[in-house]
Amino acid sequence: MKLKKRKIKYAAIFFICWFAFLVLLVDGVLKFQTLVDYFGSYALVEVTLLLLVIIPTLLVYFLTKE
C-alpha cells in the first residue's frame, strides 16, 4: 500500500482537531473520573477514547480522494 501525501495531510489535520475536541470534551465537560465511575473500568474508557480517535482518522484517510 503506497501512502499518499495529500491523504495523510487531511487525515493528520482531522486527527489533531478531533483529538483536541475529545480532550476538551472529556477533560473539561464530562470529567474523566466521572466516565470511569460510570463505566467502572479505567481501561475500558481509555480504549474507547483511543478507538474514537483512531477509527475516524483511518476512515478519513481511506475515504479521501487523491
Side-chain angles (χ1 to χ4, degrees):
M1 180 175 96
K2 185 178 177 186
L3 297 175
K4 308 288 184 175
K5 288 183 182 180
R6 180 178 178 190
K7 292 173 80 168
I8 291 173
K9 180 177 73 172
Y10 288 136
I13 291 169
F14 176 81
F15 173 81
I16 291 168
C17 293
W18 184 239
F19 184 75
F21 174 73
L22 280 178
V23 166
L24 175 73
L25 184 67
V26 170
D27 287 341
V29 177
L30 297 175
K31 304 296 182 205
F32 184 78
Q33 190 59 43
T34 305
L35 290 174
V36 172
D37 293 340
Y38 182 75
F39 290 109
S41 172
Y42 178 83
L44 177 67
V45 174
E46 281 290 324
V47 169
T48 304
L49 291 173
L50 283 173
L51 290 177
L52 280 174
V53 172
I54 293 171
I55 291 174
T57 302
L58 289 175
L59 285 174
V60 167
Y61 177 79
F62 288 121
L63 296 177
T64 301
K65 304 248 189 257
E66 183 56 37

